[in-house]
Amino acid sequence: MFAAKKTKINTSLTFSQLYGAVTMNNTLGLGIFAALVYFQNLDWQYSAEVTVILFMEFTIGIAVIIAGFGYKHTYIVCFSS
């Protein structure tokens, strides 16, 4: 709904929601995954998957910091209109 209006504030809000949803989803999935491995005494053979999840979370975090999260009220958005 917010993205359909295509204003600077609504676009920023949409990106904020997407960044938050991706980070929360990855963190929750990784937490459940780690709990299953720990409580079921499974062998740890998932280094590649966990590395990719953590890498993407840090990448999104750095992108948000560089884009000015905490310093500006809107995200930098590049659209070709």
Side-chain angles (χ1 to χ4, degrees):
M1 237 167 39
F2 291 112
K5 294 181 183 177
K6 295 184 182 178
T7 64
K8 188 174 183 179
I9 298 296
N10 288 338
T11 304
S12 179
L13 181 60
T14 301
F15 276 108
S16 176
Q17 289 175 339
L18 287 173
Y19 289 148
V22 167
T23 303
M24 291 291 288
N25 186 28
N26 285 344
T27 305
L28 180 65
L30 183 59
I32 291 172
F33 178 69
L36 283 173
V37 169
Y38 179 76
F39 290 117
Q40 297 292 326
N41 294 324
L42 301 174
D43 292 334
W44 185 260
Q45 300 174 356
Y46 308 103
S47 296
E49 292 86 353
V50 172
T51 304
V52 169
I53 290 172
L54 291 175
F55 175 75
M56 289 310 299
E57 285 192 14
F58 285 121
T59 302
I60 293 295
I62 290 170
V64 169
I65 290 170
I66 289 173
F69 184 74
Y71 301 109
K72 300 177 185 176
H73 294 290
T74 57
Y75 288 102
I76 298 170
V77 181
C78 298
F79 284 117
S80 57
S81 0

